[in-house]
């Protein structure tokens, strides 16, 4: 297959065909399946690799008059052959027209017949036919001034025509010469020294799946305020049923961080991180075989030598994006300077890259890692805990003021209840973990086991029987607060019992 590709190029693909069910001749023993060269279907691009947009405007109708309203821009946008043709044609017509006007003046005055009379003063000396009138106009227009043909003061109409010729000549010179100057100084040729890599690559960088391509500047002069943008062109259908053949989506290449502002001295690798906000969030190596999209790259900057804005464009189709590749380094440190090797500018090499999309990777990570899953909580138990806290608040307000001052820790039951409920939730979530993780958690010295045992011991403390030790008067007054009083220390319980007896 590689030999066939070297022979016929990449414009053809090898298709394997079998003889079963077809009119092909049967294969002999030891022969493999027949191979047939089929030309590839050319991918229709919106933007060519050289930056030219494949768009043609048609059926303008009466809108073509808008081109004449901006005639200067129309002439600048024309191709060079049309510019040169218009340039030559305009000057030729203007010269012939003005030479004809001088010949008409000489003809109406009779200077053509009396040019050789010694005592006769013509309008223009030594003009006695059309070629001489044409030469007089050229001498006047080009300010050559040989001195052999000149205008006299006996011809007022010649003076008026001379003024009109000077004004008209200045207008034509300014228009056509200005058009040619703008045409020659356009920064389109500067864009040809801005390089883009032939392929874009997708691989891991800094632990994230990233789309990358490379840009470079071949000239030593810099691009001032260089900025890069990326557009994804992809057809889609809206939920309302509208079909968008060339829907444009923005690819973030560092707009939020300022990485899109380039210091383009050496080749740079432009990165687009594929995350949940990226249009390639669902893109995998398998889906790239069926997807159809085009990435348009636009590089803009100011030419340092002329101060004019330059724009370079290119595009990458889905078959020009290499999955699991990375660019070769092109910069090396020499003696006193950095050297850029442009022979490796387009070269890539394969690197280990997961074939899954970012969405699939996140789903597999959530399914395989139990620590990321949220702890299961019982909403009913939380609701009961809140009700219990509210009941304790009501009970504490019913206690005598002396007892409230003696206790001095009104928030102690709430803290203890919160700690116990948290511990029960941890114990509940521990039972939901896999068996392997439960074995790890059951190792002696584990902090979670210590916390559970400590909480169990605290809840099973004989302090819960402290309500029975109180006098009957206090038990009747406290009512439902027996649980709260049971959590008091033994010294404080004895103090309270001695005080109320």
């Amino acid at each position: 297959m590689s030999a066939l590709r070297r022979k016929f190029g990449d414009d053809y693909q090898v298709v394997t065909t079998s003889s079963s069910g077809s009119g092909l001749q049967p294969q002999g023993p030891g022969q493999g399946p027949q191979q047939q060269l089929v030309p590839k279907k050319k991918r229709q691009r919106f933007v060519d690799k050289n930056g030219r947009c494949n768009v043609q405007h048609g059926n303008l109708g009466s809108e073509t008059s808008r081109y004449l309203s901006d005639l200067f821009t129309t002439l600048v946008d024309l191709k060079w052959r049309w510019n040169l043709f218009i340039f030559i044609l305009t000057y030729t017509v203007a010269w012939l027209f003005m030479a004809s006007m001088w010949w008409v003046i000489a003809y109406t005055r009779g200077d053509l017949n009396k040019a050789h009379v010694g005592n006769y003063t013509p309008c223009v000396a030594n003009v006695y036919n059309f070629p001489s009138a044409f030469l007089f106009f050229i001498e006047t227009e080009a300010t050559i001034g040989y001195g052999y043909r000149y205008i006299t003061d006996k011809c007022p109409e010649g003076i008026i025509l001379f003024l009109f010729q000077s004004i008209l000549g200045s207008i034509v010179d300014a228009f056509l010469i200005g058009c040619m100057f703008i045409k020659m100084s356009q920064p389109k040729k500067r864009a040809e020294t801005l390089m883009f890599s032939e392929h874009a690559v997708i691989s891991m960088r800094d632990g994230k799946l990233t789309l990358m391509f490379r840009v470079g500047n071949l000239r030593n002069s810099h691009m001032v305020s260089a900025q890069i943008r990326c557009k994804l062109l992809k057809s889609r259908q809206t939920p309302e049923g509208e079909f968008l053949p060339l829907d444009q989506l923005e690819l973030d290449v560092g707009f939020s961080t300022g990485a899109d502002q380039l210091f383009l001295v050496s080749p740079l690798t432009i990165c687009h991180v594929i995350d949940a906000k990226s249009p390639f969030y669902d893109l995998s190596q398998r889906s790239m075989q069926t997807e159809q999209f085009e990435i348009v790259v636009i590089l803009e900057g100011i030419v340092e030598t002329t101060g004019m804005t330059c724009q370079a464009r290119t595009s990458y189709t889905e078959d020009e994006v290499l999955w699991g590749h990375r660019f070769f380094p092109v910069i090396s440190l020499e003696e006193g300077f950095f050297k850029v090797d442009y022979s490796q500018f387009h070269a890539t090499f394969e690197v280990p890259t997961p074939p899954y999309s970012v969405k699939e990777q996140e789903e597999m990570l959530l399914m395989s890692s139990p620590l990321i899953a949220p702890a299961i909580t019982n909403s009913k138990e939380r609701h009961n805990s809140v009700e219990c806290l509210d009941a304790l608040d009501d009970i504490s307000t019913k206690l005598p003021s002396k007892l409230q001052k003696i206790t001095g820790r009104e928030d102690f039951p709430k803290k203890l209840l919160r700690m116990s409920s948290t511990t029960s939730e941890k114990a509940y979530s521990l039972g939901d973990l896999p068996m392997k993780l439960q074995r790890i958690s059951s190792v002696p010295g584990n902090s979670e086991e210590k916390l559970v045992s400590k909480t169990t011991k605290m809840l099973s403390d004989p302090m819960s029987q402290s309500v029975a030790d109180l006098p009957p008067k206090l038990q009747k007054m406290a009512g439902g607060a027996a649980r709260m009083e049971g959590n008091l220390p033994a010294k404080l319980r004895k103090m309270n019992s001695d005080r109320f007896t």
Side-chain angles (χ1 to χ4, degrees):
M1 184 179 295
S2 60
L4 290 174
R5 289 190 179 277
R6 287 195 300 268
K7 182 178 180 181
F8 294 97
D10 293 335
D11 294 336
Y12 292 85
Q13 59 181 352
V14 179
V15 179
T16 303
T17 59
S18 59
S19 58
S20 58
S22 61
L24 299 176
Q25 297 180 359
Q27 302 173 5
Q31 293 181 354
Q34 295 184 1
Q35 293 183 345
Q36 178 181 355
L37 285 176
V38 178
K40 285 184 179 180
K41 185 178 180 181
K42 190 175 181 180
R43 176 74 159 83
Q44 182 62 42
R45 311 176 72 102
F46 186 73
V47 178
D48 288 336
K49 298 294 287 184
N50 59 2
R52 187 179 65 88
C53 298
N54 294 324
V55 178
Q56 293 184 1
H57 303 280
N59 297 328
L60 297 177
S62 60
E63 302 298 331
T64 53
S65 59
R66 295 176 180 266
Y67 290 101
L68 298 178
S69 61
D70 189 9
L71 186 59
F72 185 81
T73 306
T74 302
L75 293 177
V76 172
D77 290 339
L78 290 176
K79 295 183 179 180
W80 269 108
R81 54 179 176 267
W82 293 108
N83 272 275
L84 293 176
F85 175 75
I86 293 174
F87 186 86
I88 296 173
L89 181 64
T90 303
Y91 272 109
T92 303
V93 171
W95 291 347
L96 293 175
F97 173 75
M98 294 305 300
S100 301
M101 295 296 295
W102 286 110
W103 181 82
V104 168
I105 291 177
Y107 179 79
T108 55
R109 287 175 55 89
D111 297 342
L112 300 179
N113 300 325
K114 303 177 182 179
H116 300 285
V117 178
N119 57 356
Y120 180 74
T121 304
C123 181
V124 179
N126 300 317
V127 172
Y128 44 87
N129 52 17
F130 182 80
S132 59
F134 183 79
L135 290 176
F136 170 73
F137 166 77
I138 294 298
E139 293 175 10
T140 306
E141 179 67 21
T143 65
I144 296 175
Y146 292 113
Y148 183 69
R149 300 177 181 87
Y150 55 91
I151 188 172
T152 62
D153 56 354
K154 303 296 183 179
C155 182
E157 60 270 24
I159 297 175
I160 296 175
L161 182 60
F162 175 76
L163 297 177
F164 177 74
Q165 172 187 331
S166 300
I167 296 174
L168 182 62
S170 300
I171 294 175
V172 172
D173 291 342
F175 190 83
L176 293 181
I177 295 176
C179 177
M180 297 297 291
F181 177 77
I182 296 297
K183 183 74 174 178
M184 289 185 293
S185 62
Q186 273 188 323
K188 290 183 179 180
K189 296 300 180 181
R190 178 64 176 91
E192 293 183 0
T193 55
L194 298 175
M195 291 182 60
F196 296 93
S197 58
E198 294 180 354
H199 295 86
V201 298
I202 294 180
S203 60
M204 301 299 293
R205 171 175 278 197
D206 296 331
K208 299 179 181 179
L209 196 64
T210 307
L211 171 70
M212 295 173 284
F213 57 91
R214 181 176 277 174
V215 297
N217 182 15
L218 297 180
R219 290 187 180 273
N220 293 327
S221 60
H222 300 168
M223 293 292 295
V224 182
S225 301
Q227 183 180 11
I228 194 163
R229 295 181 292 121
C230 290
K231 294 287 185 179
L232 175 63
L233 304 182
K234 185 178 180 181
S235 60
R236 71 179 183 92
Q237 189 172 6
T238 63
E240 295 79 14
E242 181 184 2
F243 180 73
L244 305 177
L246 292 174
D247 187 28
Q248 297 187 10
L249 300 176
E250 188 75 21
L251 293 181
D252 187 7
V253 289
F255 178 77
S256 57
T257 60
D260 59 333
Q261 304 290 333
L262 306 181
F263 182 51
L264 197 57
V265 178
S266 61
L268 299 177
T269 301
I270 310 301
C271 301
H272 166 68
V273 178
I274 302 177
D275 52 11
K277 298 180 180 179
S278 173
F280 294 134
Y281 183 60
D282 299 332
L283 183 66
S284 63
Q285 187 178 9
R286 182 183 65 258
S287 63
M288 280 188 60
Q289 301 176 0
T290 57
E291 289 282 343
Q292 286 192 355
F293 59 85
E294 185 175 353
I295 302 172
V296 179
V297 181
I298 305 171
L299 176 61
E300 293 179 342
I302 301 175
V303 182
E304 188 179 28
T305 54
T306 61
M308 303 183 68
T309 303
C310 173
Q311 184 181 94
R313 296 182 297 267
T314 190
S315 67
Y316 301 98
T317 56
E318 67 280 352
D319 55 346
E320 295 172 347
V321 179
L322 305 179
W323 189 282
H325 283 245
R326 187 183 298 166
F327 288 106
F328 272 99
V330 294
I331 301 179
S332 60
L333 179 60
E334 302 292 337
E335 296 181 0
F337 62 94
F338 293 91
K339 181 180 179 181
V340 179
D341 184 12
Y342 278 98
S343 63
Q344 301 292 332
F345 185 82
H346 305 284
T348 62
F349 62 97
E350 294 186 9
V351 292
T353 304
Y356 308 104
S357 64
V358 177
K359 182 179 180 181
E360 293 173 348
Q361 294 181 27
E362 292 179 354
E363 291 176 353
M364 289 187 295
L365 184 62
L366 289 174
M367 293 176 63
S368 61
S369 179
L371 298 177
I372 302 179
I376 303 176
T377 57
N378 195 335
S379 60
K380 185 176 181 180
E381 291 181 0
R382 288 187 175 183
H383 182 67
N384 295 336
S385 301
V386 174
E387 290 182 351
C388 196
L389 289 175
D390 296 338
L392 287 176
D393 291 339
D394 297 338
I395 293 172
S396 62
T397 55
K398 295 178 181 178
L399 291 176
S401 58
K402 292 183 178 180
L403 185 58
Q404 295 180 14
K405 292 179 181 179
I406 292 173
T407 57
R409 295 182 65 185
E410 299 174 358
D411 58 341
F412 180 75
K414 296 182 181 180
K415 292 182 178 179
L416 186 60
L417 185 57
R418 290 193 187 99
M419 184 169 60
S420 62
S421 63
T422 306
T423 308
S424 62
E425 288 179 4
K426 288 183 177 181
Y428 183 76
S429 62
L430 184 63
D432 294 335
L433 295 178
M435 296 301 296
K436 186 176 180 180
L437 193 57
Q438 291 184 25
R439 294 192 193 100
I440 297 174
S441 303
S442 61
V443 176
N446 195 300
S447 59
E448 186 175 358
E449 182 181 359
K450 289 181 179 180
L451 182 60
V452 174
S453 61
K454 187 175 180 181
T455 308
T456 307
K457 185 178 179 181
M458 184 185 303
L459 294 177
S460 61
D461 198 286
M463 291 168 57
S464 59
Q465 301 176 2
S466 61
V467 181
D469 298 336
L470 295 178
K473 184 177 180 180
L474 184 58
Q475 293 180 14
K476 188 180 298 183
M477 185 181 302
R483 183 180 177 184
M484 181 187 70
E485 286 294 315
N487 295 327
L488 296 177
K491 188 176 180 180
L492 187 58
R493 291 201 311 270
K494 186 177 181 181
M495 185 187 302
N496 291 335
S497 60
D498 295 341
R499 185 177 182 85
F500 284 95
T501 55

